[in-house]
Amino acid sequence: MRMAVKAKMLFISFLFLSSVFLARSGEVDDESEFSYDEKSENGPANWGNIRPDWKDCSGKLQPPIDLFELRAEVVSKLGILQTDYKPSNATLLNRGHDIMLRWDDGGYLKINGTQYQLKQLHWHTPSEHTVNGERFNLESHLVHESNNGKFAVIGIIYEIGLWPDPFLSMIENDLKVPADKKGIERATGTIDPNQIKLDGKQYFRYIGSLTTPPCTEGVVWTIDRK
């Protein structure tokens, strides 16, 4: 069955997807030094050569990967992800390469006893990860950081369907304001990250890196699987 082999699939309308998520996303606020153009001198293949502190971009742990590759383990004994999220004031920021939702204090995720504070959420279109070679319409990344500077990211993969996703629908009007111009910020008031549904009980998990410079390695990636 098709749904059984995908990471978690949520459904959003085509109109919402096309009008809001036109920018590609990453983990840094200034993309002027690098490009996503594979043919560019400062494209992904050359990120590791642009600056000394970006050397990890030439490493072996670079996501995204196809989720059926050998180093992506399907973890079935985790049960529900151990999160303790809470409502918090949040801000939307257009970073040029993506739109980011940043929380002041949105709670935390716990993996193997390590607590990672929720920092931000951003979106990629199309999806960065593939499943059995197939790429999807949208992927969101919930980025968390521990007290010692380690990162953990939860990825959720979306495809276009008949029903809108409740969380995206809730913030749709806020998203439209910063969608057109880099550097625009919008205070959204209180947003509860618990509204982002993580319903699966099986997950793809692997150790990778951040997906843009400085490409920090040792990131724990968890892709919700339904």
Side-chain angles (χ1 to χ4, degrees), residues 92-100 178-184:
L92 279 165
L93 171 64
N94 185 331
R95 299 190 290 182
H97 53 281
D98 74 347
I99 295 177
M100 176 182 69
D180 296 330
K181 187 175 181 181
K182 177 184 174 182
I184 295 295

Side-chain angles (χ1 to χ4, degrees), residues 27 81-83 85 107-112 114-122 140-155 205-210 216-223:
E27 318 299 344
L81 282 172
Q82 297 181 49
T83 61
Y85 293 150
Y108 63 86
L109 162 72
K110 185 176 286 188
I111 298 177
N112 295 330
T114 300
Q115 187 169 301
Y116 299 85
Q117 291 296 127
L118 175 62
K119 296 297 184 179
Q120 50 105 334
L121 164 68
H122 61 262
S140 64
H141 290 163
L142 284 151
V143 180
H144 308 72
E145 185 177 4
S146 68
N147 289 335
N148 62 350
K150 300 296 184 181
F151 290 92
V153 182
I154 296 176
R205 176 164 289 169
Y206 70 97
I207 304 300
S209 75
L210 297 181
T216 305
E217 294 189 338
V219 176
V220 181
W221 280 90
T222 303
I223 309 296

Side-chain angles (χ1 to χ4, degrees), residues 52-63:
D53 56 330
W54 292 1
K55 64 182 185 302
D56 284 347
C57 294
S58 300
K60 297 180 179 180
L61 297 179
Q62 293 306 301

Side-chain angles (χ1 to χ4, degrees), residues 62-78:
Q62 293 306 301
I65 66 171
D66 187 274
L67 292 173
F68 278 177
E69 286 188 7
L70 293 179
R71 66 185 178 95
E73 178 186 5
V74 179
V75 183
S76 60
K77 298 180 180 180
L78 293 178

Side-chain angles (χ1 to χ4, degrees), residues 18-226:
S18 61
S19 64
V20 176
F21 300 109
L22 298 179
R24 178 134 181 175
S25 66
E27 318 299 344
V28 297
D29 289 344
D30 182 4
E31 82 283 10
S32 60
E33 293 185 71
F34 65 92
S35 168
Y36 287 103
D37 184 352
E38 297 288 350
K39 299 179 181 180
S40 171
E41 292 183 358
N42 61 347
N46 297 313
W47 286 353
N49 301 320
I50 295 174
R51 286 171 43 175
D53 56 330
W54 292 1
K55 64 182 185 302
D56 284 347
C57 294
S58 300
K60 297 180 179 180
L61 297 179
Q62 293 306 301
I65 66 171
D66 187 274
L67 292 173
F68 278 177
E69 286 188 7
L70 293 179
R71 66 185 178 95
E73 178 186 5
V74 179
V75 183
S76 60
K77 298 180 180 180
L78 293 178
I80 297 173
L81 282 172
Q82 297 181 49
T83 61
D84 189 6
Y85 293 150
K86 59 184 179 181
S88 171
N89 285 331
T91 303
L92 279 165
L93 171 64
N94 185 331
R95 299 190 290 182
H97 53 281
D98 74 347
I99 295 177
M100 176 182 69
L101 179 64
R102 181 176 58 217
W103 280 275
D104 291 347
D105 182 13
Y108 63 86
L109 162 72
K110 185 176 286 188
I111 298 177
N112 295 330
T114 300
Q115 187 169 301
Y116 299 85
Q117 291 296 127
L118 175 62
K119 296 297 184 179
Q120 50 105 334
L121 164 68
H122 61 262
W123 297 268
H124 297 249
T125 180
S127 69
E128 289 205 321
H129 289 88
T130 56
V131 182
N132 200 23
E134 184 177 1
R135 194 174 301 279
F136 298 94
N137 302 110
L138 182 70
E139 180 174 345
S140 64
H141 290 163
L142 284 151
V143 180
H144 308 72
E145 185 177 4
S146 68
N147 289 335
N148 62 350
K150 300 296 184 181
F151 290 92
V153 182
I154 296 176
I156 306 171
I157 296 176
Y158 300 72
E159 67 177 352
I160 293 172
L162 298 177
W163 299 279
D165 173 69
F167 180 75
L168 294 178
S169 297
M170 181 179 69
I171 63 173
E172 179 176 1
N173 290 333
D174 289 313
L175 281 165
K176 290 178 179 178
V177 174
D180 296 330
K181 187 175 181 181
K182 177 184 174 182
I184 295 295
E185 290 193 25
R186 178 180 175 86
T188 62
T190 299
I191 291 184
D192 186 357
N194 288 299
Q195 298 299 315
I196 304 169
K197 300 302 182 184
L198 300 170
D199 298 327
K201 292 186 178 180
Q202 287 190 324
Y203 309 91
F204 292 101
R205 176 164 289 169
Y206 70 97
I207 304 300
S209 75
L210 297 181
T211 58
T212 61
C215 306
T216 305
E217 294 189 338
V219 176
V220 181
W221 280 90
T222 303
I223 309 296
D224 193 7
R225 181 186 183 186
K226 192 171 184 178

